[in-house]
Amino acid sequence: MVHVYNCHPFSSQQIVQVEQEPGLICCGGGALFVVATGGCKVDAYNVEKEGCPLICRFATMGTVKSIQHSKMGDYLVTIEEKNSATYLRAYTNWRYQAEGKARVGVRLLGHLLRGASVRGGVQMEIIEIPLSERPVAVACCSVTGDLVVGCESTLVLFALRGQNQQSLNQSQQMLQSSWTNAQQSSSQSQAPIVGSNQNFLDFERSVILHLPKIKPTQVALCGRYVAVQAELEVLVLKLDTSSEPKTLEESSDTKKTDHLEDQADFQILPRHQELLGDQAKDCDIPVSIEKTGLEDSAGQCTISYVLFRRFTPDFFQGCSVEETQLHSLQLYPLFTSNQSESLEEPLCIFCFFSLPSAGYLYSLKGGVELLSAYQYPEKVLKAVLTDHLLHVITKSALQCFTVRCAAVAARLDDPYIDTTMKACPPCSLEVCALRMQLFIGLRSLCVYRHHVILLSTADAETPEEPERPPQRRGLSRKWTISSPKESSPAGHGWNLYVVDTVSPLSLYQEMVEYSQRYAETNPQAQSLRHLLSEAHLLIRSSLLQTSDQQRSIEEDSVLSLQTDPDGPAENHTAVQTDRRDLEEALRQNCAQLGDCFSRASQKDCHLALPYYRMSALSVTDIMARNRPLPSGPHSYGPGFLFYLKHYLFEETEQILSQETADEVIDIFSQSEPSQLVSVCASSSLIDISPARTLQILQHLEDTTGVSVLLTTTMATMMLRLDDLPQYTHLMERHAEMLLVYGFIEEPRLLLHGGGGGQHAHIRPTALTRQMAKSQPGLLVAAVVALHENNKVQLEQADHIFKELGCENCLQVDFWEAMLMASSKETIIQELLFRVASVYIDRLTHTTSDTHTNKPHTPSRRRPLKSAEDLINSCSHYGALYPWLTVLNPAHTTSSQHQEALYKLQSLLCGPSLSVGSVTPLMERLPEESLWGFSLHLLCATREGQYDSSIEKLLDRCPQAIIAYANHQLQDKHMALWWQKLLPELCDRTRAAADNSILLAALKETLVVVAMETSPTEFLELMPEDGTASYFLPHLLTCSQRHLRA
């Protein structure tokens, strides 16, 4: 279906003053090229200036049958006929003919001229391009400047080369500026600049494709994509280079050709086919590559099928064979503003071709897809695709259709399209036709920027074409070429028009005004939404222009630099202003589309959210746009409610006024009461009236019953009213575990912010602050539950406790609770290091006597979990080693000091803490005190330093040595009893024979050694100067045990 809107896409028109009847036209580089009917001369006119003045005129070497202009390299390529022979020629540096007396050089492909041109002279060159077959079609690549030539059974690709490998972009810009300077002044001072060697162009034959089963009528080239069109077939190929050689199999269908030639008495009608992507290789058109000798340097050339479309002529509508031929083949690239200027690969490539009754637009990159099918109201002669519009001509009218190129490019350019952040009308949106412009006898069409060039001829004697004898398709292999239709000797007129299209912004504004008719009569009309979507794509296509295209728009300011020094700056400012206007128009359009979808059906209402976001309107403005009209239904649209819920559920810094916040509560109390709890928890509604909201919540409770979330929300309102007794009553309605589950379901009751990720600003609510004072255990349990359910991150939780001023108490309680709940090893190690650091800090800043040092007291509040609680409930805290009780005399330190000591010792006794991570921190603790000595001894023991630990313990606290040995010197360390401990005790007892502690320790050690060694080993361990009566009982015990064993 094609929508028709009475919008005016054209702003003005002018007639180009040509001397002879035009036969062929083409445009590019700011110029219109006109070839007179049957002539051998090309006239170039400046379409950028009023009146289209003549730039230059130059002769061709034969009768021009086809002419094309290349943007890259600024050259012309023609198919010419002379003496019944057909030639392919390229005309470079044609702008130098503006003076009318410059030399012209003629050379073959690959042979550079010598003489004046090499020394820097100004000279147009004609490059003869030899071919083995007669050329029937030619096209230039707008991206690279390469050339594709279609012959009767082959496609030949030529790569554009610049001498010294200079940039073709610089060459083109210098060439286009040179002829303007030449028109302003006849001075020859510019000649050495524009005539430098970098302007010499040449071509290099790169690829030859053989297509024996298709006869090209038109060809197209864009980057690595090649398209060929026959009478009823279109084939698109992609060329790639590969380092691996690839052999193409010859098609076995070649034998069928001779068989078909025998069926001369039959008309063969091929069936209709559309093959996209990988399926296109299943078409019956084989393609083979002929080597050109360049494969070794450029890699092996490979081809892949992209698109194949075959049509069947419909004779039932009275159409002749000629009327169903394809025409207007075009490969159209589209760049975006996010692409680099030096990037040659466009973001999007589109393929367009047309029948007289319908046109077809395909997207080739990112998946081959049919975007639009254009159904024409009458027979179309020619069509040209642009960024914004599709221009078509019939015999009597010029008409424009909208295109979907911007919809495809936007999605490839911006990954946020089709999310809740951004939206764009779909690629499948039905196209529309704009108001047509009537002409008489239109025959040809070409487009340059916003200029549409039309050729019309009026012949009163032959208003209708004479009947032609029917032809059979594809049965003749003779070289034939149709001559251009000669005008009648008594021709009655012809005209060459330049019709200017309005700017996209002006057309957008007219579409918006046009849409008001639908908005006034039926705001939910499908046509209103469709027209606003068309306007949206129109603006998007302008904003997607690359900086390269913008620089092209500013080209006039560069050319006028010498005549008006202030002009370029003014033009640059105008371009920036125009872009700001486009961005503002896009925001306005998004607001209008948001209004359309806000009351749309459930299928499309979700689109209100991204469009309203792109409009940059405040939520207050959007609410004002969606208030029910007095004469309309007193309800809110589903799209508006969807937007409002997303806005309130996402954390933003915008706080609504009390009036607006109360209106939001009213909206949801009427439309979706079940969402009231979540709405009240939004950070944007901090300023709501608590008394008024409480009444609404109480009414909801009476209607739906008591729930944890509803009770907690009502308690929050009581807290805002400073009614602490009622707040406490409400919070005591439910068990703490049920409250924790409620906070998991709605975290914003406790925390606001954090929507931007780990580093987003997060802050506690008033309920959180109150719970920190009255219910700290519930708060810690709730935050732990939020973390374990991925509602809050560890750093964010730490920030909350710092905001509460509880970094030395509740925050540590939270870390300890996290050690009990978390199962993630990385988090566990991080938390173990944190709590160990806190314990060490507390031991450093508290005294070891029963009186605390008040200036350094972190907090007087008791921890939620004691050391004994942590040992019993957390696997990371180990039971204290028995020998530590000897080193930890009870009631000799303050409670905070003792609690920190026990927790740190428990961590060091546990299995999880890495001792190496806290060893640098342990250096802050003194070893003079027994508790400090115990910690250092624990670390040394954990690190396996048993020998030094035994020595230090015998030096500082020998009464603990047996307890230490009984616990630590077991299993593989049992040998240390007699290898280290026994010799140490013997030596020390010998020096202090009256030390009862050492004697008792020696006795206990001998008992263990006697149980673990043989009599022979025991005798060897006895000191030579030892008293026999002291050791004999132990030796006897060892011998008796050995005999029993």
Side-chain angles (χ1 to χ4, degrees):
M1 176 181 177
V2 178
H3 298 254
V4 180
Y5 298 119
N6 191 25
C7 297
H8 301 72
F10 308 112
S11 60
S12 63
Q13 72 180 44
Q14 55 183 324
I15 297 178
V16 183
Q17 301 298 325
V18 294
E19 298 178 358
Q20 296 179 326
E21 178 180 359
L24 298 173
I25 61 171
C26 77
C27 55
L32 166 63
F33 303 95
V34 181
V35 180
T37 301
C40 300
K41 188 177 294 184
V42 177
D43 295 342
Y45 299 89
N46 188 351
V47 296
E48 297 288 353
K49 290 190 176 182
E50 186 69 26
C52 299
L54 181 69
I55 299 174
C56 64
R57 178 180 290 119
F58 57 90
T60 60
M61 299 181 67
T63 303
V64 179
K65 301 300 181 181
S66 175
I67 183 170
Q68 296 286 334
H69 175 268
S70 173
K71 171 185 174 182
M72 302 301 295
D74 192 35
Y75 68 87
L76 289 167
V77 60
T78 63
I79 296 177
E80 302 176 11
E81 192 176 58
K82 187 174 183 180
N83 298 328
S84 300
T86 307
Y87 303 90
L88 181 69
R89 297 186 175 101
Y91 293 78
T92 66
N93 298 341
W94 56 268
R95 297 183 188 269
Y96 296 137
Q97 295 300 306
E99 298 178 7
K101 44 188 176 180
R103 291 186 298 273
V104 176
V106 182
R107 63 181 175 88
L108 279 176
L109 176 79
H111 294 74
L112 296 179
L113 293 174
R114 301 186 180 277
S117 62
V118 176
R119 294 191 298 270
V122 179
Q123 180 169 297
M124 183 179 84
E125 288 188 349
I126 303 176
I127 303 174
E128 192 84 29
I129 304 176
L131 296 168
S132 59
E133 294 184 83
R134 182 175 61 84
V136 295
V138 65
C140 307
C141 175
S142 60
V143 178
T144 62
D146 293 348
L147 192 64
V148 60
V149 183
C151 301
E152 291 212 344
S153 61
T154 59
L155 295 181
V156 185
L157 275 71
F158 296 89
L160 179 64
R161 297 287 183 257
Q163 185 163 339
N164 300 329
Q165 300 298 316
Q166 296 294 326
S167 170
L168 294 176
N169 287 320
Q170 297 176 0
S171 173
Q172 177 197 8
Q173 186 176 7
M174 295 183 68
L175 283 168
Q176 291 185 1
S177 62
S178 64
W179 62 265
T180 304
N181 294 331
Q183 284 185 329
Q184 295 171 355
S185 172
S186 59
S187 174
Q188 297 296 321
S189 60
Q190 299 292 335
I193 299 177
V194 300
S196 60
N197 287 344
Q198 66 176 355
N199 293 334
F200 292 144
L201 304 179
D202 200 12
F203 297 91
E204 184 176 64
R205 195 187 315 265
S206 58
V207 180
I208 301 176
L209 302 178
H210 291 269
L211 298 88
K213 297 188 67 175
I214 189 170
K215 294 186 177 181
T217 59
Q218 275 189 277
V219 291
L221 177 65
C222 184
R224 295 178 295 169
Y225 291 84
V226 182
V228 57
Q229 172 185 290
E231 290 182 343
L232 288 174
E233 295 169 327
V234 173
L235 176 65
V236 181
L237 305 170
K238 184 180 180 182
L239 301 178
D240 290 298
T241 54
S242 173
S243 57
E244 299 178 0
K246 181 177 179 181
T247 304
L248 293 176
E249 298 181 0
E250 294 293 335
S251 173
S252 60
D253 294 338
T254 54
K255 297 180 180 179
K256 298 180 182 179
T257 305
D258 296 334
H259 178 67
L260 290 175
E261 291 177 0
D262 296 336
Q263 301 177 352
D265 296 333
F266 300 95
Q267 176 65 48
I268 306 300
L269 296 180
R271 61 187 177 90
H272 179 85
Q273 271 188 307
E274 182 186 39
L275 302 175
L276 307 180
D278 293 337
Q279 296 179 352
K281 66 179 181 296
D282 298 330
C283 69
D284 57 356
I285 299 181
V287 180
S288 60
I289 301 177
E290 178 182 335
K291 294 183 179 181
T292 60
L294 303 176
E295 290 81 3
D296 294 337
S297 59
Q300 185 74 21
C301 183
T302 62
I303 60 170
S304 57
Y305 290 78
V306 177
L307 166 67
F308 176 74
R309 185 75 186 262
R310 173 181 286 152
F311 297 91
T312 301
D314 191 351
F315 292 98
F316 297 97
Q317 296 180 353
C319 296
S320 66
V321 174
E322 289 75 15
E323 289 178 331
T324 56
Q325 289 184 359
L326 288 166
H327 60 77
S328 303
L329 176 66
Q330 191 175 353
L331 288 179
Y332 189 79
L334 189 61
F335 293 85
T336 67
S337 56
N338 291 338
Q339 291 185 280
S340 171
E341 294 181 12
S342 60
L343 188 66
E344 290 189 351
E345 186 73 16
L347 181 70
C348 307
I349 295 180
F350 303 95
C351 179
F352 177 82
F353 49 85
S354 181
L355 288 167
S357 59
Y360 301 90
L361 177 62
Y362 286 85
S363 173
L364 301 184
K365 297 192 68 175
V368 184
E369 177 187 6
L370 175 63
L371 296 181
S372 306
Y374 297 88
Q375 299 298 324
Y376 305 136
E378 55 183 311
K379 178 183 175 182
V380 166
L381 305 177
K382 183 74 181 293
V384 176
L385 178 69
T386 65
D387 283 351
H388 307 92
L389 298 169
L390 173 69
H391 301 279
V392 302
I393 58 169
T394 65
K395 284 186 177 181
S396 59
L398 166 66
Q399 190 168 13
C400 295
F401 294 85
T402 55
V403 295
R404 300 291 166 258
C405 301
V408 176
R411 285 168 170 80
L412 294 176
D413 182 61
D414 192 343
Y416 290 102
I417 297 291
D418 295 330
T419 66
T420 58
M421 301 300 297
K422 295 181 181 180
C424 180
C427 303
S428 58
L429 185 70
E430 295 174 337
V431 297
C432 75
L434 305 181
R435 183 174 180 177
M436 66 175 60
Q437 190 82 8
L438 297 178
F439 290 88
I440 299 176
L442 289 181
R443 199 179 79 187
S444 187
L445 162 73
C446 60
V447 179
Y448 176 74
R449 292 187 192 166
H450 62 280
H451 307 291
V452 180
I453 295 95
L454 303 172
L455 172 61
S456 69
T457 59
D459 194 343
E461 294 182 0
T462 58
E464 297 182 359
E465 295 183 5
E467 295 185 1
R468 304 178 186 176
Q471 297 178 0
R472 293 186 175 91
R473 299 184 182 277
L475 303 182
S476 174
R477 294 186 297 177
K478 296 181 180 180
W479 282 14
T480 60
I481 184 167
S482 58
S483 300
K485 181 180 177 181
E486 300 292 340
S487 59
S488 172
H492 294 284
W494 39 263
N495 279 309
L496 194 58
Y497 301 97
V498 176
V499 180
D500 291 341
T501 59
V502 299
S503 68
L505 186 59
S506 300
L507 185 55
Y508 159 80
Q509 292 168 347
E510 186 177 1
M511 286 184 171
V512 171
E513 293 176 2
Y514 195 87
S515 68
Q516 298 304 314
R517 306 177 188 178
Y518 298 105
E520 294 171 358
T521 57
N522 184 7
Q524 294 306 307
Q526 187 69 24
S527 296
L528 172 61
R529 190 186 309 174
H530 183 273
L531 188 54
L532 291 176
S533 298
E534 291 286 6
H536 183 97
L537 292 177
L538 197 63
I539 295 298
R540 269 199 182 274
S541 64
S542 298
L543 291 173
L544 282 172
Q545 287 183 337
T546 63
S547 56
D548 196 29
Q549 290 170 317
Q550 291 175 359
R551 186 172 63 251
S552 179
I553 293 174
E554 298 172 17
E555 195 172 277
D556 291 339
S557 64
V558 176
L559 297 178
S560 61
L561 180 62
Q562 293 182 351
T563 58
D564 185 7
D566 298 329
E570 294 176 357
N571 290 337
H572 180 74
T573 304
V575 170
Q576 296 298 325
T577 303
D578 185 58
R579 183 167 185 85
R580 286 194 296 267
D581 293 341
L582 288 171
E583 292 172 349
E584 177 61 27
L586 183 66
R587 288 190 289 268
Q588 294 175 1
N589 175 264
C590 289
Q592 293 168 331
L593 282 171
D595 294 341
C596 286
F597 289 109
S598 66
R599 295 186 178 275
S601 62
Q602 291 292 337
K603 178 183 177 182
D604 299 321
C605 67
H606 65 281
L607 293 173
L609 173 63
Y611 279 119
Y612 273 144
R613 277 180 167 165
M614 294 166 64
S615 70
L617 292 176
S618 67
V619 65
T620 306
D621 296 333
I622 294 173
M623 288 171 59
R625 298 170 75 103
N626 283 273
R627 289 192 182 103
L629 298 174
S631 58
H634 296 280
S635 62
Y636 295 90
F640 169 67
L641 293 176
F642 183 79
Y643 160 78
L644 198 55
K645 280 188 290 187
H646 269 265
Y647 173 82
L648 296 174
F649 294 169
E650 294 178 358
E651 299 296 339
T652 62
E653 297 297 327
Q654 182 181 2
I655 297 177
L656 303 181
S657 65
Q658 180 176 340
E659 180 182 359
T660 305
D662 289 342
E663 184 180 354
V664 171
I665 297 296
D666 291 338
I667 290 173
F668 281 95
S669 64
Q670 297 172 19
S671 304
E672 295 188 36
S674 61
Q675 299 292 331
L676 271 176
V677 171
S678 298
V679 170
C680 291
S682 173
S683 59
S684 301
L685 301 185
I686 290 179
D687 292 337
I688 57 174
S689 173
R692 186 173 180 274
T693 305
L694 189 59
Q695 292 179 355
I696 297 174
L697 295 175
Q698 288 173 341
H699 175 72
L700 179 63
E701 186 181 61
D702 296 338
T703 306
T704 61
V706 178
S707 69
V708 174
L709 283 176
L710 185 56
T711 300
T712 311
T713 307
M714 294 171 63
T716 303
M717 296 300 131
M718 288 295 183
L719 195 60
R720 294 186 184 182
L721 292 172
D722 294 329
D723 191 347
L724 291 181
Q726 191 63 28
Y727 160 80
T728 305
H729 171 72
L730 289 171
M731 292 296 289
E732 291 175 351
R733 274 188 181 182
H734 305 281
E736 283 194 356
M737 188 53 64
L738 293 178
L739 292 174
V740 169
Y741 289 149
F743 292 134
I744 294 174
E745 187 175 349
E746 187 47 77
R748 294 178 301 161
L749 289 170
L750 295 179
L751 312 173
H752 281 163
Q758 175 178 342
H759 303 289
H761 179 65
I762 193 169
R763 56 194 182 278
T765 63
L767 178 62
T768 306
R769 296 184 183 277
Q770 180 60 32
M771 288 172 59
K773 299 175 184 177
S774 59
Q775 295 172 291
L778 175 60
L779 176 60
V780 169
V783 178
V784 170
L786 292 179
H787 180 274
E788 291 304 296
N789 287 273
N790 299 319
K791 303 291 185 179
V792 67
Q793 300 185 23
L794 185 62
E795 289 76 8
Q796 294 175 331
D798 291 339
H799 180 75
I800 286 295
F801 290 111
K802 290 179 181 179
E803 286 276 327
L804 295 172
C806 305
E807 59 267 25
N808 289 323
C809 50
L810 275 185
Q811 185 176 20
V812 181
D813 292 332
F814 165 70
W815 291 342
E816 293 172 347
M818 281 291 300
L819 284 173
M820 291 187 284
S822 180
S823 59
K824 297 179 180 179
E825 186 62 27
T826 54
I827 292 181
I828 290 173
Q829 291 300 323
E830 173 68 20
L831 291 174
L832 287 172
F833 179 78
R834 290 186 184 186
V835 294
S837 303
V838 171
Y839 299 152
I840 293 173
D841 187 67
R842 288 179 178 177
L843 290 172
T844 306
H845 293 93
T846 56
T847 58
S848 60
D849 55 21
T850 56
H851 302 286
T852 59
N853 191 357
K854 293 184 179 179
H856 296 287
T857 301
S859 174
R860 295 183 179 182
R861 187 188 62 78
R862 292 179 60 84
L864 294 178
K865 296 287 184 180
S866 65
E868 185 177 356
D869 295 332
L870 292 173
I871 292 172
N872 293 331
S873 59
C874 183
S875 62
H876 306 295
Y877 288 83
L880 297 183
Y881 298 157
W883 54 271
L884 286 174
T885 58
V886 184
L887 300 177
N888 293 339
H891 308 298
T892 60
T893 60
S894 66
S895 59
Q896 286 187 348
H897 187 278
Q898 191 172 21
E899 193 68 29
L901 176 62
Y902 288 167
K903 288 183 177 179
L904 182 56
Q905 287 177 338
S906 178
L907 273 184
L908 292 171
C909 293
S912 304
L913 178 65
S914 173
V915 177
S917 64
V918 297
T919 299
L921 301 177
M922 297 290 292
E923 296 177 357
R924 297 163 53 192
L925 299 177
E927 291 193 46
E928 289 77 13
S929 59
L930 278 179
W931 61 265
F933 171 70
S934 69
L935 294 172
H936 286 281
L937 190 64
L938 265 174
C939 290
T941 301
R942 285 283 303 274
E943 292 175 347
Q945 302 173 10
Y946 293 102
D947 291 357
S948 61
S949 297
I950 291 172
E951 295 175 3
K952 290 180 181 179
L953 193 56
L954 289 172
D955 291 339
R956 292 291 302 273
C957 189
Q959 59 268 34
I961 189 62
I962 296 303
Y964 177 87
N966 283 329
H967 186 268
Q968 302 295 154
L969 305 184
Q970 298 295 325
D971 300 327
K972 62 180 181 179
H973 303 298
M974 179 64 74
L976 291 176
W977 280 90
W978 53 86
Q979 292 178 358
K980 181 63 180 178
L981 181 58
L982 180 60
E984 282 289 336
L985 287 174
C986 290
D987 293 342
R988 292 173 188 268
T989 305
R990 188 182 298 111
D994 56 346
N995 193 322
S996 59
I997 297 176
L998 292 176
L999 289 173
L1002 178 59
K1003 184 177 180 179
E1004 292 292 334
T1005 303
L1006 288 172
V1007 171
V1008 173
V1009 172
M1011 295 297 293
E1012 298 294 335
T1013 60
S1014 65
T1016 305
E1017 292 172 340
F1018 190 88
L1019 284 172
E1020 294 177 354
L1021 293 173
M1022 290 177 59
E1024 295 179 356
D1025 57 348
T1027 304
S1029 60
Y1030 186 82
F1031 290 98
L1032 280 177
H1034 299 288
L1035 178 60
L1036 179 61
T1037 302
C1038 180
S1039 300
Q1040 291 173 347
R1041 182 190 59 79
H1042 185 69
L1043 288 174
R1044 286 194 300 268

